[in-house]
Amino acid sequence: QFETGLATGLIRHDGCPITTTHVGNARKLPKGERYLLGKPSQDQKIDAGVTSVICHKAACDMRASGWPEEELPPLVIGI
């Protein structure tokens, strides 16, 4: 959902360099039919990327539950 949201413009990135680095460090690791976010090494941070994905998932869940779109703020990823 996160990748689709970025590709379709449902979410956008505000240019935060920390988030840019953290998302760039993140790796999509397959686990069965789902994916986990991981990092190539313990020295690389992914925290801002993880929270971005979690926030996007929460917004998608709210939309799916019928929350009126006009009451949801736009989702902009950054710190």
Side-chain angles (χ1 to χ4, degrees):
Q1 282 180 327
F2 185 79
E3 290 175 318
T4 301
L6 284 172
T8 62
L10 183 62
I11 56 176
R12 60 189 185 279
H13 176 42
D14 69 356
C16 170
I18 295 169
T19 303
T20 299
T21 300
H22 287 203
V23 170
N25 289 342
R27 298 293 179 263
K28 192 167 76 170
L29 307 173
K31 181 168 180 156
E33 293 183 20
R34 295 183 171 212
Y35 291 93
L36 300 173
L37 282 181
K39 51 187 174 177
S41 75
Q42 291 301 314
D43 297 340
Q44 294 177 298
K45 303 291 186 192
I46 63 170
D47 303 20
V50 171
T51 55
S52 296
V53 171
I54 291 170
C55 289
H56 178 60
K57 176 64 173 141
C60 288
D61 290 349
M62 292 304 295
R63 287 183 185 95
S65 73
W67 194 285
E69 188 69 31
E70 62 274 1
E71 292 184 23
L72 287 175
L75 185 58
V76 179
I77 298 169
I79 294 178

